[in-house]
Amino acid sequence: MNTTPSGPQSARQTAVNQVKRLAMTGLVAGALGLASVGLGAGIANAGGPYQWCPGDDPLGFGAGFDTPADARPNWDWNICHTYHYVNHGQGNVSPTVWDGENPPPPYPWQPPNVCWALFIPRPC
């Protein structure tokens, strides 16, 4: 016994299902696009300035002095510092930390201080 509907009713139902799938695909793609724009705007300001003073967490804001392992600043740990996280190789007290004002601009192809882990951006 065949219980599959046939005729104009099944063709109409198929068309409705296709429209629903297309609409859902558009909504998901739009949501992902908006999320990536918002995420990019948030990351662009992730580099600082921050302030570290004696008695603060020795790993810095967000434990940034510990990622990568060579990011611990080479500075006087007995005074306060205003610093920025920068792309690897652009720092003046460690590869990823700039002590003082006016850090170097980010690479033109990358927002400042963004590393990727399993396709997820995170601070370096």
Side-chain angles (χ1 to χ4, degrees), residues 63-80:
F65 296 168
D66 198 33
T67 308
D70 63 349
R72 192 167 177 94
N74 182 17
W75 63 25
D76 183 352
W77 291 89
N78 297 311
I79 61 171
C80 292

Side-chain angles (χ1 to χ4, degrees), residues 41-111:
I43 291 173
N45 296 322
Y50 302 108
Q51 184 166 5
W52 183 91
C53 288
D56 289 348
D57 185 356
L59 296 180
F61 178 79
F65 296 168
D66 198 33
T67 308
D70 63 349
R72 192 167 177 94
N74 182 17
W75 63 25
D76 183 352
W77 291 89
N78 297 311
I79 61 171
C80 292
H81 296 272
T82 299
Y83 65 95
H84 300 259
Y85 290 120
V86 294
N87 287 309
H88 195 273
Q90 291 185 317
N92 62 356
V93 292
S94 86
T96 58
V97 178
W98 181 272
D99 186 18
E101 298 301 319
N102 303 318
Y107 302 133
W109 47 267
Q110 179 185 22

